[in-house]
Amino acid sequence: MKTNNENGRKLALAVGIYTIVKAILNMILGGGFGDIIVGVFIAAALYTGLQYVNYVTAGYLVYIALIHLPANISHISDNWIYLIEGIADVACAALIFTNSDIKEHFTNKWDELPELFNK
């Protein structure tokens, strides 16, 4: 798979691995198996470096953090681990939005998708 910035790919893949680890933790704490599928999909999408995948992923992470924020704050004694997870989600999204290496990694064109696997 072609990359335009190796360091950006490593950082994006670290965020992808975070989503998998987060999903496994949530499954252990009582969630479902579906989160692991989403985490693997996000990691694979971040690896590709396709345009705008980084923004979609960052938006998803912030969305998930925001929809769970009221419950996590109102039940902070029981949900402190989820509150920390939400903070980590927002931090990963901020990294994706602001890091220049990650932005450079996400410059592969969607119409070049078949060619990306050959390089």
Side-chain angles (χ1 to χ4, degrees):
M1 187 63 106
K2 178 183 149 195
T3 185
N4 298 311
N5 187 307
E6 191 65 36
N7 192 40
R9 174 184 272 174
K10 289 177 186 175
L11 290 170
L13 196 54
V15 172
I17 290 169
Y18 159 75
T19 62
I20 295 170
V21 170
K22 167 185 156 173
I24 292 170
L25 176 64
N26 285 336
M27 188 177 78
I28 292 169
L29 295 174
F33 184 74
D35 290 340
I36 293 176
I37 296 169
V38 171
V40 169
F41 177 77
I42 288 172
L46 289 174
Y47 181 76
T48 66
L50 291 169
Q51 279 185 323
Y52 311 118
V53 169
N54 55 334
Y55 297 122
V56 172
T57 301
Y60 172 78
L61 290 172
V62 169
Y63 172 74
I64 293 299
L66 288 177
I67 64 170
H68 293 293
L69 183 63
N72 291 340
I73 290 176
S74 66
H75 301 98
I76 196 163
S77 62
D78 298 331
N79 291 346
W80 60 270
I81 194 160
Y82 294 116
L83 188 59
I84 292 170
E85 180 181 310
I87 293 168
D89 285 352
V90 172
C92 286
L95 179 69
I96 290 171
F97 271 122
T98 60
N99 187 281
S100 60
D101 289 338
I102 292 177
K103 287 181 182 181
E104 188 178 340
H105 170 60
F106 287 95
T107 54
N108 293 327
K109 307 279 188 231
W110 281 86
D111 58 350
E112 300 171 352
L113 188 59
E115 298 165 15
L116 294 177
F117 288 101
N118 296 328
K119 296 182 181 186

